[in-house]
Amino acid sequence: MIGQLKGTSPPFLHTFCSYLHQPRGNSTISSTRGAWEEVGMIRVVADTSRDAALIADAIGGAAHVMHGSGRFAAGDPQVECVVLGCRSPIPPGRLDLARAIKRQVPWAPVIFVTDPAPDVAEWLGESGVSDVVWFDDVQTELRSRVEVQFKNAALFAFAGEIEGSTLPPALRSALAHSLRAATDRPVRNVKELAEVLRRSPVTLSQSFRKNTDSEATLSGFLGALVILRAHQLRSSGLSWKVAGPRLGFTRPTLHAKSKKWPGLKLKELLRTPRRSLLATFASDFLEPLLNGPDRTGPAQHPGSPTDPMPTP
């Protein structure tokens, strides 16, 4: 069934799919041709109320300004993005805050708004921040940057969860690479993946089957990622005739892949919300991998759901 988890899932998947199934409110972020899907909550944390208002105004009605300590409920499924506003020089506490946010809501991209400064690139690399926007460009660039992050946050979060798992190193690398590639041009098949990683396609396929608690295959995993990207391109306004060649497939081939996973015709696929497809993907592929036959569950990650958030 589309968008349903089966059996006992790792805590991350339960929380993430809870997020995917949250009903969306009447967001003011919308556009024609599906450029913006419905979104939930964008948290805004800034040093001053003036900066917070500037950021919130640029985002629109989905923005929720946080006052006081800026604490986040652990795994709050309504939080879909966090925007941190901080004038230069950046205090060390902001680095701790960004890291803590990634522990609490690992699927939510964190966008940093600040002044141009030499230390920003280094700070970005250490904190796990998804993107940086200058205060001078907030009105013209922030909204589009948030849109980009929304589109790909789930796959990046899935890749991070795979990398933190107890799967064999070669398989972890292959799956994480495939998930990140699917945000632009997905890996088309097992042979292509093996060539990129300089591995044997047979070995990769066998490793996948050995480490999954289902009948899923590596070829099916890659095919599902192609369909997720095709759905994204079609929802953005491109025709199947245009979207197909971008992915290296004809429309009939995409139709056949969609019939295989998630079992829908292309017309039915287009009517299916992206978050439902992501939940189905997690259920069909990630859950069996993270609950594989030779493991007790995913590796432990730093931090705890009850860790207090640093004070901004």
Side-chain angles (χ1 to χ4, degrees), residues 18 95 104 106 113-114 124 141 178 220 224 270:
S18 174
L95 180 61
Q104 302 289 49
V113 180
T114 189
L124 174 62
E141 293 191 18
S178 302
L270 185 58

Side-chain angles (χ1 to χ4, degrees), residues 15-79:
T15 306
F16 189 86
C17 287
S18 174
Y19 144 68
L20 290 172
H21 289 301
Q22 282 289 313
R24 295 324 194 240
N26 295 322
S27 170
T28 60
I29 295 183
S30 61
S31 74
T32 59
R33 307 187 65 175
W36 280 83
E37 295 183 11
E38 288 182 285
V39 300
M41 185 181 297
I42 303 175
R43 300 278 198 181
V44 176
V45 181
D47 289 336
T48 67
S49 57
R50 181 178 180 180
D51 286 343
L54 176 68
I55 293 170
D57 180 66
I59 295 172
H64 295 255
V65 177
M66 298 191 67
H67 302 284
S69 63
R71 295 176 182 273
F72 289 73
D76 184 350
Q78 292 187 348
V79 178

